[in-house]
């Protein structure tokens, strides 16, 4: 642990998101033991992932962003508000142009610019879209610790990485299982599933480095990551978890995911 604590914030963020990537790979590996998972279970897992992301957006990102802006007095909400909106707008733009396909959607409903890529690639890109703000959030959290903000703690950053890692398990399965169902080999399904999280270490390094270089941007960066995550939850994760007729179970999964992330953040942060 001492070795990890003595690393630079950028390296800490990189290693933390290697962990989250690894958990995604672990989730994708379920195809080696089962050809299929019931839609009920997948919907519950997606709901759980959404709950973790919602809780992380507040406890690990927005609340610290507001606390870091105390010096602005009555206007301390401004950095968080601006960053939150910009994060959602950024993900909306990516969503508009990045070719992707939602889980269980037919190829004809692919979004983004038109392409002849097959549905497997488009599904991976959809989950990759989810993972951009997750990696960014972890990177910014470790960057906040590195620049010495009192409201940022190494425990809180680790809690965020753990929470993101936990919810990455169902995301990995949510890619590999449908691909296996479509007829891809177990190995290819696994490769595609774990590849969806490769963007997380990249986004984490960018987020941590940006914060270390430009400390005043930190409250905006934290809120930016929160806005991007909430956009993903509302636009994709929750609707997908409710689409197969198991909405009540998915909702309870969301509640449990929120509680788990909240507990991690409060206990470790």
């Amino acid at each position: 642990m001492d070795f990890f604590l003595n690393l630079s914030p950028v390296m800490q963020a990189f290693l933390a998101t290697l962990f989250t990537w690894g958990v995604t790979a672990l989730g994708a590996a379920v195809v080696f033991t089962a050809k299929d998972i019931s839609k009920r279970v997948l919907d519950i897992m997606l709901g759980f992932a959404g709950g973790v992301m919602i809780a992380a957006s507040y406890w690990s990102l927005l609340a610290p962003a507001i606390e870091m802006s105390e010096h602005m007095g009555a206007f301390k909400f401004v950095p968080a508000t601006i960053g939150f909106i910009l994060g959602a707008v950024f993900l909306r733009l990516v969503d508009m142009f990045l070719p992707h396909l939602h889980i269980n959607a037919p190829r004809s409903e692919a979004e983004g610019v038109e392409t002849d890529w097959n549905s497997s690639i488009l599904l991976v890109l959809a989950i990759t879209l989810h993972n951009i703000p997750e990696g960014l959030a972890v990177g910014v959290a470790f960057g906040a610790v590195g620049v010495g903000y009192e409201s940022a703690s190494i425990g809180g950053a680790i809690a965020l990485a753990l929470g993101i890692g936990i919810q990455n398990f169902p995301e990995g399965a949510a890619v590999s299982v449908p691909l296996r169902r479509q007829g891809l080999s177990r190995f290819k399904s696994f490769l595609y599933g774990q590849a969806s999280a490769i963007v997380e270490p990249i986004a984490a390094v960018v987020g941590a480095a940006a914060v270390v270089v430009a400390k005043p941007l930190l409250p905006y960066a934290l809120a930016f990551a929160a806005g991007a995550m909430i956009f993903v939850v509302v636009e994709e994760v929750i609707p997908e978890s409710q689409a197969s007729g198991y909405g009540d179970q998915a909702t309870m999964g969301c509640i449990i995911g929120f509680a788990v992330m909240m507990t991690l953040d409060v206990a470790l942060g």
Side-chain angles (χ1 to χ4, degrees), residues 95-182:
D95 184 70
M96 287 174 59
F97 294 104
L98 179 71
H100 62 284
L101 181 66
H102 292 194
I103 299 170
N104 296 323
R107 176 64 178 79
S108 59
E109 294 183 7
E111 298 181 6
V113 298
E114 291 188 14
T115 177
D116 58 359
W117 295 344
N118 61 44
S119 58
S120 302
I121 298 296
L122 295 176
L123 179 58
V124 173
L125 289 175
I127 304 299
T128 299
L129 182 65
H130 296 188
N131 289 329
I132 292 174
E134 294 170 9
L136 182 63
V138 174
V140 171
F142 278 100
V145 176
V147 297
Y149 267 104
E150 292 183 3
S151 57
S153 69
I154 190 67
I158 292 173
L160 177 60
L162 285 173
I164 295 297
I166 291 170
Q167 66 93 42
N168 272 2
F169 184 91
E171 286 194 351
V175 177
S176 64
V177 170
L179 294 180
R180 178 60 179 156
R181 193 185 297 137
Q182 292 173 14

Side-chain angles (χ1 to χ4, degrees), residues 2 4 24 48 71-72 113 152-153 155 161 168 176 203 213-214 231 245 255 269:
D2 288 340
F4 181 80
T24 303
F48 179 90
H71 64 281
M72 298 184 69
V113 298
S153 69
N168 272 2
S176 64
V213 171
F231 177 90
I255 296 298

